[in-house]
Amino acid sequence: AFDPKGHGIGNGFETWLMCGLVENEDFRERFIHNYMYVIHYVFEKNRVSDTVDYLASLIEEEIPNHIERWKTNNENYANNEYRSSPGSLSGWKNAVEGIKTRIEKRKPYALKEIKNFFKLTDKQMEYYATYDINGEPYVLYDMHGNPVTAEG
């Protein structure tokens, strides 16, 4: 997102605004704090898992109907990336687990990217992961109102 040439396929997304904003010290500080908050707290492993499981539970009973509805399409694209629907309930459950796994695996990559781009030290990374823009410890509550802490 910070390459002045753009990003995405063929650099189709312009980045000049973001590149200019990160040159501003106040914006940069707020951006790093917000980014770290999202990585460590919003996408905290247990929080994501609980949220995905909850959302999946809301639609699980409809999945067999969805599979049946799109069965012909699935047969046409059985082992193909264009498959539009899981072929079975267990396939759908595996896809739900895959969502959680992809989010969990993204964290180390995202942390490495922000550390490298802003040339942050380990000590700075720890600070940004722990304290908000006002120097107060981050607090996040799960969907049940219980405090959640970041995992290393």
Side-chain angles (χ1 to χ4, degrees), residues 10 19 25 39 71-72 74 76 96 103 106 109 130 138 145:
C19 290
E25 186 177 337
I39 292 300
K71 185 166 66 173
T72 302
N74 284 341
N76 292 337
V96 169
I103 291 171
R106 174 80 176 121
Y109 173 78
T130 308
Y138 287 121

Side-chain angles (χ1 to χ4, degrees), residues 28-77:
R28 187 173 47 252
E29 280 296 305
R30 290 177 184 279
F31 178 85
I32 295 169
H33 277 284
N34 288 337
Y35 190 94
M36 296 295 273
Y37 177 83
V38 168
I39 292 300
H40 286 290
Y41 294 90
V42 174
F43 288 114
E44 188 272 331
K45 178 182 172 181
N46 295 322
R47 185 172 189 269
V48 167
S49 183
D50 289 349
T51 302
V52 170
D53 288 343
Y54 170 72
L55 293 172
S57 75
L58 296 177
I59 64 170
E60 184 171 3
E61 68 182 48
E62 280 300 315
I63 297 304
N65 295 332
H66 177 79
I67 292 167
E68 183 62 29
R69 164 66 176 92
W70 295 102
K71 185 166 66 173
T72 302
N73 193 40
N74 284 341
E75 290 167 357
N76 292 337
Y77 299 107

